[in-house]
Amino acid sequence: MDQDVNAPEPDSEAAATGRLLALVRSFVTTHVSWKPLFIGAVITGVDRMRLYFRSPERDRTYGVDVLISRTGPGLIGSLVSPAFLANEYPHRPSDDPHCDVIVDLTDW
């Protein structure tokens, strides 16, 4: 079998998976109707992942690109704020079939 040239190193994959599980645990909470709903995530590269949120107010799904190594409490707190995702300044059109809008927070 050919080796996948885009496959992450085993150590970085384990670290990314651990960080992703910690994120998911932090988003699991009692849902309130005005809060964006975390619906999934995918690792998109070395130290990168896309988090998916559904906005109940705007009827759209956001794909939020983040660096795994920089994803901490400050970023998590802002992502679950409806005002943060409603700010259209960082939005760009999506080429991802799983979301309507991309928000790139890799420099955050």
Side-chain angles (χ1 to χ4, degrees), residues 2 9 41 45 50 52 69 74-75 89 94:
D2 292 335
E9 295 295 321
R50 181 168 288 165
Y52 294 97
S69 61
L75 179 64
Y89 177 72
S94 174

Side-chain angles (χ1 to χ4, degrees), residues 24 48 56-58 60 68 70-71 98 101 103 105 108:
V24 169
R48 296 177 70 97
E57 295 176 340
R58 296 184 176 258
R60 82 174 49 154
I68 296 167
R70 292 188 191 169
T71 305
H98 304 294
V101 176
V103 181
L105 297 181
W108 196 75

Side-chain angles (χ1 to χ4, degrees), residues 3 27 48 74 82 96:
Q3 185 177 3
F27 289 131
R48 296 177 70 97
D96 182 339

